[in-house]
Amino acid sequence: MADVILIPQEHFEHLKRALPAITREHLFSVYGISETTWSKLRKGLPIKKATWQRIQLRYEKVRGALAA
């Protein structure tokens, strides 16, 4: 089984607030994830560590763009 991680609800809320809308298109363009991965995050289910690392990198870019 792949390395997986549980994401705290607080982190999910930060990700959610950074999205312009919760649509398939925005999930993919902003975080590079599918609706299935988003659903897992929302429900508090584990996701792959590699996926979480990708989300974190993209989130930092979004945060930087919002701060500018």
Side-chain angles (χ1 to χ4, degrees):
M1 179 174 214
D3 286 338
V4 294
I5 187 170
L6 287 172
I7 308 309
Q9 189 65 25
E10 178 182 332
H11 292 294
F12 170 75
E13 293 300 325
H14 290 294
L15 296 173
K16 186 172 145 182
R17 282 193 293 272
L19 283 171
I22 301 172
T23 64
R24 179 181 346 176
E25 292 79 16
H26 284 112
L27 290 170
F28 191 75
S29 67
V30 175
Y31 296 128
I33 62 172
S34 67
E35 290 176 287
T36 301
T37 300
W38 184 255
S39 179
K40 287 180 179 181
L41 288 168
R42 187 181 68 241
K43 293 176 183 177
L45 298 174
I47 62 170
K48 292 178 184 176
K49 282 186 181 180
T51 301
W52 177 240
Q53 292 167 343
R54 184 175 69 245
I55 292 169
Q56 287 180 301
L57 288 173
R58 289 180 172 226
Y59 176 73
E60 290 302 320
K61 288 181 185 178
V62 170
R63 263 188 46 193
L66 291 175

